[in-house]
Amino acid sequence: MRYARRLLLAGVIGAVAARRALRTPYDLTGRAVLITGGSRGLGLALAREFLARGARVTLMARDAAELERARAQLAADDRVHTVAGDVTVDADVKRAVTEAVQTFGGLDVVVNNAGMIQSGPLANMTLQDVQEIMDVNTLAPLRVTRAALPHLRDRRGRVLIVASVAGKVGTPHLGPYSVSKFGAVGLGQVLRAELAPQGVGVTTVCPGLMRTGSPRQATIKGHARREYALFATLDNLPLVSLDAGVAARRIVDALVRGDAETMIGGLAHVLRGAQALAPQLNADLLGLLTRVLPPPAPHDRGVRGADAESALTQANPIKRAAERDHNELGGAAG
């Protein structure tokens, strides 16, 4: 019994010490950062923020042309390296980690930002849709973190997982996306606990809507034009969505502070709070919301958001500015 108490006390002391170490402000000056999904959208905004804080960045994405446009937009010369690869392919992930280490002499931070989104009724989503999005949004962060872990241990580095408020509150017409982000949140919690004794900090962020220009890259199902018009409009409402640069700054702040988990944006805080305080009422309200959303279509075909544009969405100047500023207009959905 006495031994058990001593063991428990030692565990508590160790946990407190680890927590203090992981909560020490993390200076990014000179740090080497690998950002997946770094060629456009939030990934590009995060690259700008890391560069502004003195870091050096390796951007990984599938489309080499998009990566070159991103490099040109960042205009940071030898502080930016790019790797074309797919986060669902082990060989590509290992190559990205190796190149980041060789280019900058080590690896301090991994930003698991690469992701995909599908919008539409769950009735029009297939099992293949769910498997595909889980591989990118949930399993890829584990794959990338594992590949980078030996280097992160050596540098007492940090891991950032970009989840979503949809990973805290099940969201109608974002079914597979929401499931995958719940998985990402759980992964972040487990990694935080298990990597802490190794000196590696893990931060999970859950943003709400952000003006990144990314809806045009989403897969849209159901009545595509109606679904896309709703999605793209909400994503670019100033009072509902967050400027991508502001979101990137808050996300990097959370990493620097060593937060375990942080909601990003007022909408994210409201939705998470409603779910925590009144889950039954929140479920009823989401059920009512679903009644006014477009109904399922008689087919399961999906289209890229850019192919579901209408005069209404094309005329939105906030949306077009976000797409231009975050490299969303010039290439394929890579």
Side-chain angles (χ1 to χ4, degrees):
M1 189 68 176
R2 182 178 300 173
Y3 175 76
R5 284 198 298 269
R6 288 177 179 175
L7 185 63
L8 177 61
L9 179 60
V12 170
I13 293 172
V16 171
R19 181 180 184 276
R20 286 180 176 175
L22 296 179
R23 291 283 291 176
T24 301
Y26 193 74
D27 184 5
L28 290 169
T29 304
R31 302 284 189 179
V33 181
L34 171 62
I35 304 175
T36 66
S39 65
R40 52 178 166 81
L42 179 62
L44 185 57
L46 287 169
R48 290 192 184 106
E49 186 64 26
F50 278 108
L51 288 168
R53 300 188 190 210
R56 301 165 295 168
V57 301
T58 296
L59 307 180
M60 181 187 184
R62 288 185 294 176
D63 191 304
E66 281 186 353
L67 284 166
E68 286 308 306
R69 287 193 297 272
R71 186 207 295 271
Q73 282 193 22
L74 292 171
D77 301 323
D78 60 353
R79 288 203 295 142
V80 178
H81 179 67
T82 63
V83 180
D86 189 328
V87 292
T88 68
V89 177
D90 286 342
D92 287 2
V93 169
K94 291 175 183 176
R95 177 167 50 83
V97 170
T98 299
E99 287 196 27
V101 171
Q102 291 175 344
T103 301
F104 297 122
L107 184 58
D108 299 285
V109 179
V110 167
V111 178
N112 290 293
N113 168 75
M116 65 179 297
I117 189 165
Q118 303 155 341
S119 178
L122 188 59
N124 291 133
M125 300 294 176
T126 66
L127 182 59
Q128 183 178 351
D129 292 329
V130 179
Q131 291 171 330
E132 182 181 15
I133 202 167
M134 290 291 290
D135 201 14
V136 176
N137 292 0
T138 310
L139 298 182
L142 177 59
R143 184 179 293 113
V144 174
T145 301
R146 279 182 165 173
L149 191 53
H151 308 285
L152 297 175
R153 284 197 203 102
D154 290 343
R155 311 275 282 241
R156 300 187 69 83
R158 298 283 171 103
V159 175
L160 178 67
I161 295 178
V162 179
S164 169
V165 66
K168 305 295 284 186
V169 181
T171 309
H173 285 226
L174 292 176
Y177 177 79
S178 196
V179 170
S180 72
K181 290 300 187 179
F182 266 85
V185 170
L187 174 65
Q189 292 175 358
V190 172
L191 287 175
R192 172 87 179 189
E194 297 206 10
L195 296 187
Q198 302 175 46
V200 177
V202 179
T203 294
T204 302
V205 292
C206 297
L209 293 171
M210 297 173 289
R211 299 191 290 280
T212 63
S214 59
R216 67 181 284 111
Q217 312 294 349
T219 298
I220 311 298
K221 289 201 159 188
H223 297 280
R225 285 188 178 271
R226 291 167 62 188
E227 288 284 348
Y228 181 72
L230 180 61
F231 181 28
T233 299
L234 288 174
D235 200 59
N236 290 280
L237 282 180
L239 295 179
V240 175
S241 63
L242 193 62
D243 174 81
V246 173
R249 185 177 71 248
R250 294 180 185 178
I251 288 169
V252 177
D253 283 345
L255 175 78
V256 168
R257 289 192 303 265
D259 292 356
E261 187 176 291
T262 300
M263 310 304 291
I264 304 295
L267 179 64
H269 283 282
V270 169
L271 290 175
R272 197 272 300 269
Q275 177 68 20
L277 295 174
Q280 184 63 53
L281 176 60
N282 198 52
D284 292 342
L285 291 174
L286 290 173
L288 289 174
L289 171 64
T290 304
R291 293 175 181 270
V292 301
L293 295 175
H299 58 77
D300 294 335
R301 293 190 303 273
V303 301
R304 184 173 163 232
D307 297 322
E309 294 273 15
S310 63
L312 173 66
T313 57
Q314 288 178 329
N316 187 329
I318 298 175
K319 171 179 172 293
R320 300 303 282 179
E323 292 167 347
R324 181 187 64 249
D325 293 345
H326 298 97
N327 196 24
E328 299 283 1
L329 292 173

